[in-house]
């Protein structure tokens, strides 16, 4: 397994653990992390040994406090930056992983940090968590999918409030908004997420993949098309099952 | 410009539009519709306006409409490019609730009640209610409210995410003003782009929405506010955004 500078990637019992590992810098997202995340997410996507992915942050204070702004003012021209964005589409890759992805969130979860968590399917947080999207206060908007993923998860009303105001929310309010699935204590966070990963990974990999596809792609379709997608995916599972029984 | 059915109070960075027909529960009529249309058009052409607040005189936000058909009030408010805060000072019923739903952030007083009673008179909401309600509270709760015509309390509205916050009547306007000032301190173009990315993005596939977000993000690279925002953060001071 290759060694990364900003990320630890380990596979244990069919669970791929991605740990953001710049604890001294509150795990802020920089170009190096982008490149390493791109490799790791590709591995999670392609490696059949990995059935479930877990994203978490090292250190006491933060899952990820956002993007490394020191790199922002040296950014290339808008046209070059845009070109690079799509040449190495880390968020598109993240969202294309048809495996359950769990986020274990603690401490500061801001900007790119919350956006990474929103690329996951299930979010478990510790009771010390603080989440926010501060971009409009920096003269920018989210760029890791936040304006798209957030309203799809918590609805237009809450999403616009958080995105426009940059307000921080704590665990209980995040739970009420359905921004997170579960709140646990700090010391139980990783073990709770492990337990959830174990509960999910016993299921057939195709079943998990098709379930995720049916829900996420289905939400982008008209209901009629979504129902067609669901029955097509279901039928191919039945077919696989019958083939297995026949052999 | 002087108005009779609304009050338009222009402050430093934001505008408060107050529906001003208290004797009629601030119901929408032709005059009010025309004035709202005019003021919204002006606001969209005025770069100084960073945030808009919509509220009502008296103890009703808006009890509905006196007109048989939609008259453009909701569409005019929904067409504002700036963040719009609804300061719901009392009942928001029928078209009044549709007006509140066309705003971006909703703060309501404890006593406010909300609902779509149209079903009881053999009608459906005609000014975006069936579309915007489900996009805010989800399909299940939306259909329940639309089918039953039930009028719910501010507390229930908070529980289902129909309003963002519930406050005492005495503090409503100061809360709304404080939020407007807070938003006015953010980068104006970024605020507009966030609103556009969320509102238009929900009509797109996720993939198309991500493209829209990225394009707007890179457009902001050309603004001086972006440099100011990042510098201010690094220098640990408040940014001074010019909307440029």
């Amino acid at each position: 397994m290759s060694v990364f500078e900003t990320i630890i990637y380990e596979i244990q019992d069919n669970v791929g653990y991605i740990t953001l590992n710049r604890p001294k810098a509150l795990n802020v997202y920089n170009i190096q992390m982008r490149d390493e995340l791109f490799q790791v997410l590709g591995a999670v996507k392609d490696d059949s040994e990995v059935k479930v992915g877990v994203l978490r942050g090292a250190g006491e204070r933060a899952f990820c406090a956002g993007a490394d702004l020191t790199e922002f003012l040296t950014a290339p021209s808008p046209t070059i930056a845009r070109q690079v964005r799509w040449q190495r589409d880390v968020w598109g890759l993240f969202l294309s992983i048809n495996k359950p992805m769990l986020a274990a969130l603690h401490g500061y979860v801001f900007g790119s940090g919350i956006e990474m968590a929103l690329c996951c399917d299930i979010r478990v947080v510790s009771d010390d968590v603080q989440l926010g999207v501060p971009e409009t206060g920096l003269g920018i908007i989210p760029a890791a999918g936040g304006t798209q993923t957030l309203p799809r998860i918590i609805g237009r009303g809450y999403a616009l409030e958080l995105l426009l105001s940059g307000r921080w929310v704590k665990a209980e309010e995040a739970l009420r908004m359905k921004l997170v699935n579960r709140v646990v204590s700090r010391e139980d966070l990783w073990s709770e997420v492990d337990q959830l990963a174990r509960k999910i990974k016993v299921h057939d990999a195709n079943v998990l993949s098709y379930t995720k596809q049916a829900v996420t792609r289905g939400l982008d379709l008209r209901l009629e098309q979504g129902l067609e997608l669901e029955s097509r995916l279901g039928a191919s599972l039945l077919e696989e099952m019958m083939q297995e029984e026949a052999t | 410009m002087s108005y009779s059915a609304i009050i338009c109070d222009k402050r430093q960075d934001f505008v408060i539009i107050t529906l001003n027909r208290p004797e009629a529960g601030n119901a929408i009529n032709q005059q009010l519709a025309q004035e709202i249309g005019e003021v919204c058009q002006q606001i969209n052409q005025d770069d100084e306006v960073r945030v808009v607040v919509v509220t009502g005189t008296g103890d009703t936000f808006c009890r509905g409409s006196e007109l048989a058909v939609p008259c453009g009030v909701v569409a005019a408010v929904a067409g504002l490019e700036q963040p719009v805060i609804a300061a719901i000072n009392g009942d928001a019923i029928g078209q009044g609730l549709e007006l509140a739903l066309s705003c971006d952030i909703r703060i309501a007083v404890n006593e406010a009640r909300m609902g779509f009673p149209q079903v009881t008179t053999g009608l459906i909401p005609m000014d975006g209610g069936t579309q915007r309600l489900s996009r805010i509270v989800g399909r299940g709760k939306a259909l329940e409210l639309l089918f039953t015509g039930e009028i719910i309390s501010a507390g229930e509205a908070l529980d289902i995410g129909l309003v963002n916050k519930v406050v005492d009547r005495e503090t409503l306007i100061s809360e709304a003003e404080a939020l407007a000032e807070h938003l006015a301190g953010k980068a104006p173009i970024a605020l507009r782009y966030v609103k556009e990315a969320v509102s238009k993005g929900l009509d797109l596939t996720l993939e198309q929405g991500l493209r829209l977000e990225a394009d707007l993000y890179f457009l902001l690279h050309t603004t001086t506010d972006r440099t100011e925002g990042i510098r201010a953060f690094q220098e640990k001071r408040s940014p001074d955004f010019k909307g440029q």
Side-chain angles (χ1 to χ4, degrees), chain B residues 144-159:
Chain B
E144 184 187 335
L145 289 177
L146 290 162
F147 282 155
T148 60
E150 191 193 346
I151 307 295
I152 61 170
S153 68
E156 288 170 282
L158 182 68
D159 287 342

Side-chain angles (χ1 to χ4, degrees), chain B residues 117-186:
Chain B
Q118 282 91 337
V119 65
T120 60
T121 56
L123 291 170
I124 62 169
M126 289 165 75
D127 226 347
T130 64
Q131 301 305 304
R132 292 200 176 91
L133 184 63
S134 52
R135 283 166 170 80
I136 292 166
V137 303
R139 189 172 176 272
K141 277 291 164 192
L143 278 174
E144 184 187 335
L145 289 177
L146 290 162
F147 282 155
T148 60
E150 191 193 346
I151 307 295
I152 61 170
S153 68
E156 288 170 282
L158 182 68
D159 287 342
I160 63 171
L162 177 53
V163 300
N164 299 76
K165 194 172 188 182
V166 174
V167 299
D168 289 333
R169 176 173 297 286
E170 306 80 68
T171 58
L172 176 70
I173 291 303
S174 59
E175 288 261 1
E177 286 172 354
L179 178 59
E181 262 159 32
H182 175 76
L183 294 178
K186 309 287 178 187

Side-chain angles (χ1 to χ4, degrees), chain A residues 82 145 147 152 161 165 220, chain B residues 164 182 187 197 204 206 213 215:
Chain A
R82 183 175 185 272
T147 66
R152 282 169 169 77
E161 185 201 342
S165 72
D220 278 343
Chain B
N164 299 76
H182 175 76
L204 302 173
L206 179 58
E213 177 190 271
D215 284 348

Side-chain angles (χ1 to χ4, degrees), chain A residues 154-173:
Chain A
I154 66 173
R156 187 174 178 274
Y158 286 134
L160 271 173
E161 185 201 342
L162 297 187
L163 288 161
L164 292 170
S165 72
R167 183 166 75 82
W168 299 6
V169 294
K170 293 184 177 170
E172 284 311 313
E173 191 181 5

Side-chain angles (χ1 to χ4, degrees), chain A:
Chain A
M1 199 171 303
S2 57
V3 172
F4 300 106
E5 237 176 76
T6 65
I7 288 175
I8 302 167
Y9 181 53
E10 309 151 286
I11 303 169
Q12 269 171 29
D13 302 329
N14 300 115
V15 180
Y17 294 91
I18 306 167
T19 310
L20 307 179
N21 191 33
R22 302 183 69 206
K24 280 181 195 153
L26 302 177
N27 295 323
V28 297
Y29 177 80
N30 61 4
I31 292 170
Q32 175 95 13
M33 191 185 281
R34 178 198 68 189
D35 293 342
E36 295 183 355
L37 200 57
F38 192 77
Q39 287 185 55
V40 167
L41 291 171
V44 170
K45 183 175 177 169
D46 296 337
D47 187 347
S48 59
E49 199 197 323
V50 177
K51 291 187 71 181
V52 177
V54 170
L55 181 65
R56 57 193 191 184
E60 283 307 307
R61 291 168 62 206
F63 163 76
C64 171
D68 192 341
L69 292 178
T70 57
E71 293 176 344
F72 272 50
L73 290 179
T74 54
S77 72
T79 49
I80 299 292
R82 183 175 185 272
Q83 192 182 358
V84 172
R85 165 71 176 82
W86 297 112
Q87 273 167 357
R88 182 157 280 206
D89 180 13
V90 64
W91 312 116
L93 172 63
F94 202 147
L95 292 163
S96 76
I97 299 173
N98 287 321
K99 298 178 182 182
M101 296 295 290
L102 316 183
L105 310 173
H106 73 281
Y108 300 134
V109 184
F110 296 142
S112 313
I114 188 171
E115 295 185 86
M116 282 189 238
L118 292 168
C119 288
C120 295
D121 305 307
I122 300 174
R123 283 157 293 281
V124 180
V125 299
S126 58
D127 46 20
D128 65 347
V129 81
Q130 302 197 73
L131 307 115
V133 213
E135 276 84 347
T136 56
L138 298 161
I140 55 175
I141 64 171
T147 66
Q148 305 306 306
T149 50
L150 189 61
R152 282 169 169 77
I153 292 167
I154 66 173
R156 187 174 178 274
Y158 286 134
L160 271 173
E161 185 201 342
L162 297 187
L163 288 161
L164 292 170
S165 72
R167 183 166 75 82
W168 299 6
V169 294
K170 293 184 177 170
E172 284 311 313
E173 191 181 5
L175 186 65
R176 185 165 62 77
M177 289 178 167
K178 301 187 173 72
L179 175 54
V180 305
N181 299 69
R182 224 182 265 191
V183 180
V184 300
S185 70
R186 180 77 175 83
E187 57 273 21
D188 292 339
L189 178 65
W190 285 16
S191 61
E192 281 275 343
V193 173
D194 275 359
Q195 234 173 336
L196 193 55
R198 276 202 295 276
K199 201 185 271 186
I200 292 170
K201 77 178 184 193
V202 297
H203 302 298
D204 179 77
N206 280 341
V207 169
L208 295 173
S209 163
Y210 290 2
T211 302
K212 180 164 175 173
Q213 287 183 60
V215 172
T216 51
R217 285 173 56 198
L219 279 175
D220 278 343
L221 300 173
R222 288 187 291 114
L223 178 60
E224 201 182 314
Q225 296 170 317
L227 294 171
E228 273 170 32
L229 171 67
E230 179 190 87
S231 69
R232 205 165 55 238
L233 292 168
S236 69
L237 282 175
L238 275 176
E239 209 169 291
E240 285 163 32
M241 209 180 281
M242 289 194 314
Q243 274 171 1
E244 267 173 41
E245 272 169 19
T247 54

